[in-house]
Structure formats: structure tokens, C-alpha cells
Amino acid sequence: MITFDAVTKRYPDGTVAVDRLGLEARTGEITVLVGPSGCGKTTSLRMINRMIDPSEGRILLDGAPVDTVDPPVLRRGIGYVIQQAGLFPHRKVVDNVATVPYLLGWNRKRARGRAMELLERVGLDPAMGERYPFQLSGGQQQRVGVARALAADPPVLLMDEPFSAVDPVVRTNLQDELIRLQAELNKTIVFVTHDIDEAIKLGDRVAVLRVGGKLAQVADPKTLLTEPADDFVREFLGRDRGIRRLQFVSTGGLRLRTDLTVREGADGRGDEPWLLALTAEGRAAGWLARGRPGELGPAGTFRHGRDSMRAALDAALLSPSGHAVAVDEQDKVVGVATRQALDEALTEAVHG
Amino acid sequence: MNWLVDFFGDPAHWSGPYGIPVRLLEHLEFSALALFLATLVAVPLGLLIGHTGRGHLVVVVSANLARAIPTLGVLVLFVLLLGTASIWPVIIPLVLLAVPPILVNTFEGIRGVDPELRDAAYGMGLRGGQVLGQVLVPVALPLILLGLRLSAIQVVATTTVAAYTGLGGLGRFVIDGFATQDYASVFGGSVLIVLFALVVQVGFTLVQRVTVSPGVSRRLKVRDSGATSR
Amino acid sequence: MGDGPPSLWEWIARNWDTGRAGSIRDLLSDHLLMSLVPIVAGLALALPLGLACIRWRWLYQPTAAVFNVLYALPSLPLFMLLISVTGLSPVTVIIPLIFYAMAVLIPAVVDGIRAVPEHVRQSAVAMGFTPLRRLVQVELPIAAPVVIAGLRVVAVSSISLVSVGALIGQGGLGMLFTRAYQNPFLPPVVVGIGLIVLLALVADGLLVLAQRLLTPWERARRAT
């Protein structure tokens, strides 16, 4: 656990970057520091590995004050990922990843072996180890940056806007990858970003900082969206807070109807205005309107129990019937969430 | 092209205390000595100033001034002041004129390293000396070597001119030949000096090839990766 | 005054304008001419060559390589080899200096024009500039600071290099050095070094001034 105990950073010219920050980053969790520029989030992060020393207060790493440790020694035990990856251009990718193991005195074979293993772990072809950084794309370089930070298996990882310099598609990939990695590794991660969506996506807990380095609120993402502490946080969270909160409501409790499906090609029967046509494999073919046989409308689907209510609602809005189609991992239809069922679930989400 | 045969064909030019081998070795010795001493001073100083960022004005001013100072004048000045009892009155100005190019380029090379790189190096737990030796110097190496090459060019040229003040070396063929109107010697010596300078130039190119990481010089082609998601 | 050796200032006063060849004033004007010609001629030749290197990209690599090699050659043997062609005249000194100047200025021209942002070039094209107008009114002004930086290097080193020509009797103020060595005497050396450095500083200052006048926007940018 990382503890900020009334930490203040004041520069000689009088500006206060961080103001009596009290915060805990729990072991095995991702704690995101988020806020506008000038809120001291990067300064706070850099005080953990003593790239900057605080003016007042203490930072504890598992109860021990970091200022009692020689900075280089401290830093070798803390992974550090920065915006442009900061890879050493003169070293091959594998040697970049092995930087800290070399510093710790591992022999070359062991360090390189470990580096290769990590490249694979972050989703890179180990053959890339023999390349130089300039031969990689931005997203690949960023993955190498993460691998390098993990090389000596440090319990703590500091990430300073690591994904902000890559394009949106790559960024989404890298975020998903981080979530997957963290599920395997359970590191204590402190992650700095100015992007609130990234914070909500990645954070187990999110600390919102305001300009001048004051902590505005720290909470899990759902609480943050539901109960912002003040106007600043509310404004920083932006629009659609209500909709975005549905990301954290499970679809597991949705009541599904299984009597609204019909085999593709068969005629609509009964008095339901809409029926879902299924393919031979049991996948959704499209919506059939009563009285208009042969015309299929698009069917919006969501993974039942895995996707959030936001996805279910989205699926409903994409279907002409207004119902959302629930599918399993193989895309086979397991049922239909009607408007009524969605309505019930939403009501519950608001009150519960 | 008679003078070529006259000069290079004369066996007397190939032996003895005033022969081509001796003059060549002298030229090599004086140039190498001056370059070595200049490197000894300029590289550490450039690294220090580039790494700490203190004193860069000294570097810039010295570089500009050095370019303005006429080498022949400085050589004559030192010889008149210190006499010709040893080679040092000539070697000292050679060294002084060789320092600025190395100093400036070393300094600029270190200072020009991406600050992110420095940050990443410290952040991973490298100490100050390790950051300098393992990251800054390898990345700045092309510029440091450029400084050494420019300095070597300067030293070879100044050593030639220094023959005027009685220093040995290939310049003697030219200077003495000019004084005695022995044009075979003048042209032959000139050709030798030109060849010497070319060899030095080629030598530095080779050193650069060997010592600069392909990751810095980007000599390798950028291969597209099909292997992973981008 | 007394019978001892003359003071520095006395020596200057006596030799400033003797009415014969070799007075300080004479040497100064020789020096000025011999260093000014390479600067101007170097620029005049480097501009079209640099532009050609931009127009035909394949040309740059070999051109740069050739001038890189020329730049590495010491001046004295080049003077000597040229004597057989141009004799003992100022031209013998001027020609190698032109090559040195080109070696510095061609890359400066190429880098300077390549530094023109693509969007600026494109918008000039879009507004209907002809290639020549675009070059004169858009690209060259933007490249000016880099070219002038190269010119400063060329000016200062040309002025100091001319003095080596004294070894073939064509060295402007450099003649003071050979004179002082043959007839061991300090004042000529000191005066020679002093005037050459002064000349270099003045030339450098003039070029800085020229850059200010030619690129007023650079100063405005620095002020904000």
C-alpha cells in the first residue's frame, strides 16, 4: 500500500503543486489520479519514486517512509512507465526491457530470458526483441515500456499518462491489455491521466484532483458517477453521468423472455408485434414485424451477464422493436430483454 | 606530372631523417598528440557542462572565438614568446585550437538528448554516472564523434602550417620546397598531406560505423510488423 | 622617444600607411577583398546547388559527400596545388575558400528550405504562387535564419583562413605573421591577430544585424 500523509509540494517561486494530499493506493488495485493540467497529479506520482521530494508530509510504501531509501535503490523496486515510453534508442528492445534486471546484477542470459517472456506477456512477438525502438510503432513502443517496467517484477507500478500519445484505437487496445494484465499480476498501480473516461475504465479507485493540488474526491468509479462530491467533480465528470453509470450495472439480473423467437423463414404467428428470427445455428438474424413477412430489421445484441446495462440499453436502441437481444459467448441467442424488463432493471439501478 | 616522378621516384625521399616515412610519422605523432590532449580536456568538460547545464555560455563563446583566431598568427606568437627549444610552443596552440570543436559538439550532443529519456533512465533507478555513461553518451555519440572529426581536420591542417615555424611533419616538404623553389617537393608534399587528411576522414567514418548503435544512426530499415496488433 | 624598441602603438602609427605596398592599410584591404569574395561567391554558388539538391533529391547525398571531403582537406596543400594553375595570385587563395564556404552553405540551404513546414508550402501552392514566387517570397525568407547561421560560420572562418595564404605570399594581414617570424618582432603578430579577430567580429555582427532586418518575425516571436 502507498500512503500519502499530508503531502505538500511547494516550489521555490511559491507555487503549490500539491496541497496537503492525503491518499491511499491499496495493494493490488489500480488507483487513478485524474484532473486538469496543473492539478499536481504527475508531481504526486513522481514523489512516490522520489523523482521529486515533497516539501512537507511523508509518503509511505507499505508503512515505510520512502525518504529513508536511496532513490536509485527505491526506483529499481518500482516500475515506471511514461508518456512516450522513453525507450533507449541505442539498445535493442530486449535489452531495453532487461534494463532493471541488468542494474540488479542479473546475468545476461537470465535477464534476456525474462525480457522475452515479458514481451510475450504484453502481446508482442518475441522476435521484436532484436529490433531497435525506432523500428516499432508508437503502440508497440508503449507495450515495450510496460514490459520494461514489469521486468524485475516490482510490486508497484507507476504510470504517467502512458497511453495519451497514441491514437484512440490503439489506446483502447492498450487499456484492455492493462486490465487483462492486472487480472493476472495484481500489482499496486498508480495511474495518472487527464482523461476521465480512461480513469473510470481502468480505476478500482479514482482520485480527482483540482488545480492547486487539492484532492477533490476519491471513490470507486460507480460512486464517483453517482455521488460527485461537489460541482467541480460533477463538471469534470462531464455529461451523460447517468448513462455512463450504467456501465457498472450488471445485466445478470435482467429478466429475459424466450418466447419471442422464431426460425428464420417461418411466418410470424400470434399477436406479438415483433418476433426475433434465428439462424439455424441459433444466432440472431433480425427482427420480423407482424404483417410484413420477409423484411428483417437489425437486431442489437449484448452478452448476457458480461456486458453492462449500458450495452443492453444500447442494443435495445439499435433494434426497431426496442428490445435487446441477449446472447452467450458464442453469439447464440439466450433470450430477449423487452423494454419492460429493461425498465424494471433501470428502476432498480436508480433506487438500488 | 613530371614532379610526381621526381618526388616519389627519388629513393632519397624514402629514407633518412628528412624522408617521407619520418615526416609522415612526425605528422601522425604531432596530430595524434594534439588531438589526444584536446580530447582529454574537451570531452570530460563537454560531458560535465552538458550534463549539469552549467557554463554553456563559456562553450559557445570559446567556439566562436576559436574560429576567428588565425592559426598561423597564434603559432608565430607562441614561438616568438616561448622559443623553439622544444616542440611544446607549437603543440600548445595546436591543442588550444583543437579543443573548441570537441567541446561544443560534446556539449550540444549531451544537451540535445530527449529529456524524456533522461527521466526514464532516472526513473528506472540508474544513478547519475550510469545515466551519463549508459544513456546520454551512447545517444550523443554521433555528435561527439563529429566534434572529434572536425577537430582532427583542424589539427592536421594546423600541423601542416606549423612546419613554417620549424616543426617537422609533411608540411616541411611544402614549406621548404616553396622556399627553395623545389616544386616537385611542394606538389609531392601537398599530395601526401591531402592523402593523409583523406585517410583520417575515412578512419573517422569507420569508427562512427562501428561505435554508434544502429538504433541511434537508424541505419537499419524500418520493417513493418505483421506479427502483432498495432 | 628613446632608442629602445618601438611600442605597439608607435609601430602601428609608423606602418599604417607607408605609401609603399605592404602597409597595414593595404594588407587590411587585401584581406577584406580576399575574404569577402569567397563568402559572396560561396553563397552565390551554394544557393542554386542547394535548390537543385532539393529539386532532385538523389543529388544531395553525392554533393554533400564531395564537399564533406573537400572540407576535410587542409588549405595549404590546396593553395600549393593550385599555384600551377592560377599562379601566385589572390585567386589561388580564394578558390579553396569558396569550396569550404560551399561545404557549409549547401547543407544550410537544404536544411533551411526543408524546414519550411509542409502546410505553409501547401497553402502557398493553393493560393496560386508560381514556383519561383513561392521560392522567393515564402521559402527563402523562412530558410533565411538557417542560411545566415551558416554564413556567420563561413564569414568568420574565411577571414581567419585568408592569413594562411601568407605562406605563398598572398595572405592579407597574414603577411604580418610571416614578417614577424622572419624578423623576430612581436607587434606585427599582435596587430595581425587583433585586426583579424576584430574583422571577424564585425562581419559576424553585420550578419546578425542582417538577420534581424530580414526576419523581423523571429524577433517578435522571441519577445512574446
Side-chain angles (χ1 to χ4, degrees), chain A residues 269-283:
Chain A
R269 65 202 131 82
D271 43 349
E272 287 293 339
W274 292 94
L275 286 173
L276 183 68
L278 297 185
T279 63
E281 295 84 34
R283 301 207 166 93

PDB file of all heavy atoms in Angstrom, chain A residues 269-283:
ATOM      1  N   ARG A 269     -46.353 -15.576 -36.097  1.00  0.00           N
ATOM      2  CA  ARG A 269     -47.680 -16.021 -35.619  1.00  0.00           C
ATOM      3  C   ARG A 269     -47.983 -15.329 -34.307  1.00  0.00           C
ATOM      4  O   ARG A 269     -47.129 -14.623 -33.754  1.00  0.00           O
ATOM      5  CB  ARG A 269     -47.703 -17.545 -35.479  1.00  0.00           C
ATOM      6  CG  ARG A 269     -46.746 -18.024 -34.394  1.00  0.00           C
ATOM      7  CD  ARG A 269     -46.353 -19.463 -34.566  1.00  0.00           C
ATOM      8  NE  ARG A 269     -44.889 -19.605 -34.468  1.00  0.00           N
ATOM      9  CZ  ARG A 269     -44.220 -19.675 -33.313  1.00  0.00           C
ATOM     10  NH1 ARG A 269     -44.796 -19.665 -32.197  1.00  0.00           N
ATOM     11  NH2 ARG A 269     -42.928 -19.759 -33.280  1.00  0.00           N
ATOM     12  N   GLY A 270     -49.183 -15.555 -33.808  1.00  0.00           N
ATOM     13  CA  GLY A 270     -49.578 -14.950 -32.540  1.00  0.00           C
ATOM     14  C   GLY A 270     -49.793 -13.464 -32.702  1.00  0.00           C
ATOM     15  O   GLY A 270     -49.780 -12.921 -33.816  1.00  0.00           O
ATOM     16  N   ASP A 271     -49.917 -12.757 -31.589  1.00  0.00           N
ATOM     17  CA  ASP A 271     -50.228 -11.330 -31.703  1.00  0.00           C
ATOM     18  C   ASP A 271     -49.088 -10.429 -31.232  1.00  0.00           C
ATOM     19  O   ASP A 271     -49.272  -9.259 -30.992  1.00  0.00           O
ATOM     20  CB  ASP A 271     -51.507 -11.030 -30.928  1.00  0.00           C
ATOM     21  CG  ASP A 271     -51.530 -11.742 -29.585  1.00  0.00           C
ATOM     22  OD1 ASP A 271     -50.654 -12.621 -29.387  1.00  0.00           O
ATOM     23  OD2 ASP A 271     -52.379 -11.397 -28.754  1.00  0.00           O
ATOM     24  N   GLU A 272     -47.874 -11.009 -31.095  1.00  0.00           N
ATOM     25  CA  GLU A 272     -46.738 -10.140 -30.742  1.00  0.00           C
ATOM     26  C   GLU A 272     -46.406  -9.245 -31.940  1.00  0.00           C
ATOM     27  O   GLU A 272     -46.330  -9.719 -33.069  1.00  0.00           O
ATOM     28  CB  GLU A 272     -45.501 -10.995 -30.413  1.00  0.00           C
ATOM     29  CG  GLU A 272     -45.574 -11.719 -29.080  1.00  0.00           C
ATOM     30  CD  GLU A 272     -45.557 -10.771 -27.900  1.00  0.00           C
ATOM     31  OE1 GLU A 272     -45.086  -9.611 -28.071  1.00  0.00           O
ATOM     32  OE2 GLU A 272     -46.014 -11.169 -26.804  1.00  0.00           O
ATOM     33  N   PRO A 273     -46.182  -7.924 -31.728  1.00  0.00           N
ATOM     34  CA  PRO A 273     -45.859  -7.052 -32.859  1.00  0.00           C
ATOM     35  C   PRO A 273     -44.491  -7.374 -33.465  1.00  0.00           C
ATOM     36  O   PRO A 273     -44.266  -7.150 -34.642  1.00  0.00           O
ATOM     37  CB  PRO A 273     -45.876  -5.654 -32.247  1.00  0.00           C
ATOM     38  CG  PRO A 273     -45.718  -5.840 -30.774  1.00  0.00           C
ATOM     39  CD  PRO A 273     -46.271  -7.204 -30.441  1.00  0.00           C
ATOM     40  N   TRP A 274     -43.534  -7.885 -32.674  1.00  0.00           N
ATOM     41  CA  TRP A 274     -42.193  -8.172 -33.183  1.00  0.00           C
ATOM     42  C   TRP A 274     -41.756  -9.566 -32.743  1.00  0.00           C
ATOM     43  O   TRP A 274     -41.975  -9.967 -31.608  1.00  0.00           O
ATOM     44  CB  TRP A 274     -41.157  -7.183 -32.651  1.00  0.00           C
ATOM     45  CG  TRP A 274     -41.322  -5.785 -33.158  1.00  0.00           C
ATOM     46  CD1 TRP A 274     -41.999  -4.781 -32.560  1.00  0.00           C
ATOM     47  CD2 TRP A 274     -40.798  -5.256 -34.369  1.00  0.00           C
ATOM     48  NE1 TRP A 274     -41.941  -3.642 -33.302  1.00  0.00           N
ATOM     49  CE2 TRP A 274     -41.190  -3.905 -34.437  1.00  0.00           C
ATOM     50  CE3 TRP A 274     -40.037  -5.784 -35.419  1.00  0.00           C
ATOM     51  CZ2 TRP A 274     -40.846  -3.079 -35.505  1.00  0.00           C
ATOM     52  CZ3 TRP A 274     -39.688  -4.950 -36.461  1.00  0.00           C
ATOM     53  CH2 TRP A 274     -40.107  -3.608 -36.497  1.00  0.00           C
ATOM     54  N   LEU A 275     -41.111 -10.278 -33.660  1.00  0.00           N
ATOM     55  CA  LEU A 275     -40.524 -11.573 -33.320  1.00  0.00           C
ATOM     56  C   LEU A 275     -39.080 -11.590 -33.821  1.00  0.00           C
ATOM     57  O   LEU A 275     -38.763 -10.980 -34.844  1.00  0.00           O
ATOM     58  CB  LEU A 275     -41.307 -12.708 -33.971  1.00  0.00           C
ATOM     59  CG  LEU A 275     -42.671 -13.022 -33.338  1.00  0.00           C
ATOM     60  CD1 LEU A 275     -43.401 -14.050 -34.181  1.00  0.00           C
ATOM     61  CD2 LEU A 275     -42.511 -13.526 -31.911  1.00  0.00           C
ATOM     62  N   LEU A 276     -38.220 -12.311 -33.110  1.00  0.00           N
ATOM     63  CA  LEU A 276     -36.809 -12.387 -33.496  1.00  0.00           C
ATOM     64  C   LEU A 276     -36.572 -13.633 -34.337  1.00  0.00           C
ATOM     65  O   LEU A 276     -36.832 -14.748 -33.887  1.00  0.00           O
ATOM     66  CB  LEU A 276     -35.916 -12.429 -32.247  1.00  0.00           C
ATOM     67  CG  LEU A 276     -34.409 -12.446 -32.511  1.00  0.00           C
ATOM     68  CD1 LEU A 276     -33.946 -11.119 -33.097  1.00  0.00           C
ATOM     69  CD2 LEU A 276     -33.661 -12.768 -31.234  1.00  0.00           C
ATOM     70  N   ALA A 277     -36.096 -13.439 -35.558  1.00  0.00           N
ATOM     71  CA  ALA A 277     -35.775 -14.574 -36.419  1.00  0.00           C
ATOM     72  C   ALA A 277     -34.391 -15.101 -36.066  1.00  0.00           C
ATOM     73  O   ALA A 277     -33.455 -14.327 -35.878  1.00  0.00           O
ATOM     74  CB  ALA A 277     -35.810 -14.129 -37.873  1.00  0.00           C
ATOM     75  N   LEU A 278     -34.277 -16.433 -35.957  1.00  0.00           N
ATOM     76  CA  LEU A 278     -32.996 -17.048 -35.607  1.00  0.00           C
ATOM     77  C   LEU A 278     -32.441 -17.815 -36.790  1.00  0.00           C
ATOM     78  O   LEU A 278     -33.200 -18.392 -37.575  1.00  0.00           O
ATOM     79  CB  LEU A 278     -33.175 -18.018 -34.433  1.00  0.00           C
ATOM     80  CG  LEU A 278     -33.628 -17.423 -33.113  1.00  0.00           C
ATOM     81  CD1 LEU A 278     -33.623 -18.510 -32.032  1.00  0.00           C
ATOM     82  CD2 LEU A 278     -32.734 -16.266 -32.694  1.00  0.00           C
ATOM     83  N   THR A 279     -31.116 -17.855 -36.908  1.00  0.00           N
ATOM     84  CA  THR A 279     -30.490 -18.683 -37.938  1.00  0.00           C
ATOM     85  C   THR A 279     -30.505 -20.129 -37.450  1.00  0.00           C
ATOM     86  O   THR A 279     -30.860 -20.411 -36.306  1.00  0.00           O
ATOM     87  CB  THR A 279     -29.030 -18.270 -38.166  1.00  0.00           C
ATOM     88  OG1 THR A 279     -28.326 -18.510 -36.951  1.00  0.00           O
ATOM     89  CG2 THR A 279     -28.919 -16.802 -38.535  1.00  0.00           C
ATOM     90  N   ALA A 280     -30.056 -21.045 -38.326  1.00  0.00           N
ATOM     91  CA  ALA A 280     -30.019 -22.461 -37.971  1.00  0.00           C
ATOM     92  C   ALA A 280     -29.095 -22.687 -36.775  1.00  0.00           C
ATOM     93  O   ALA A 280     -29.305 -23.606 -35.977  1.00  0.00           O
ATOM     94  CB  ALA A 280     -29.555 -23.279 -39.163  1.00  0.00           C
ATOM     95  N   GLU A 281     -28.056 -21.821 -36.646  1.00  0.00           N
ATOM     96  CA  GLU A 281     -27.119 -22.002 -35.515  1.00  0.00           C
ATOM     97  C   GLU A 281     -27.635 -21.360 -34.243  1.00  0.00           C
ATOM     98  O   GLU A 281     -26.948 -21.353 -33.221  1.00  0.00           O
ATOM     99  CB  GLU A 281     -25.758 -21.372 -35.860  1.00  0.00           C
ATOM    100  CG  GLU A 281     -25.019 -22.035 -37.020  1.00  0.00           C
ATOM    101  CD  GLU A 281     -25.484 -21.509 -38.360  1.00  0.00           C
ATOM    102  OE1 GLU A 281     -25.823 -20.316 -38.449  1.00  0.00           O
ATOM    103  OE2 GLU A 281     -25.544 -22.305 -39.312  1.00  0.00           O
ATOM    104  N   GLY A 282     -28.801 -20.737 -34.308  1.00  0.00           N
ATOM    105  CA  GLY A 282     -29.349 -20.116 -33.110  1.00  0.00           C
ATOM    106  C   GLY A 282     -28.881 -18.685 -32.908  1.00  0.00           C
ATOM    107  O   GLY A 282     -29.006 -18.114 -31.837  1.00  0.00           O
ATOM    108  N   ARG A 283     -28.285 -18.072 -33.968  1.00  0.00           N
ATOM    109  CA  ARG A 283     -27.857 -16.674 -33.840  1.00  0.00           C
ATOM    110  C   ARG A 283     -28.984 -15.754 -34.320  1.00  0.00           C
ATOM    111  O   ARG A 283     -29.886 -16.181 -35.031  1.00  0.00           O
ATOM    112  CB  ARG A 283     -26.604 -16.427 -34.673  1.00  0.00           C
ATOM    113  CG  ARG A 283     -25.429 -17.311 -34.263  1.00  0.00           C
ATOM    114  CD  ARG A 283     -24.096 -16.653 -34.600  1.00  0.00           C
ATOM    115  NE  ARG A 283     -23.023 -17.344 -33.906  1.00  0.00           N
ATOM    116  CZ  ARG A 283     -22.321 -18.344 -34.459  1.00  0.00           C
ATOM    117  NH1 ARG A 283     -22.556 -18.701 -35.706  1.00  0.00           N
ATOM    118  NH2 ARG A 283     -21.382 -18.953 -33.764  1.00  0.00           N
TER     119      ARG A 283
END
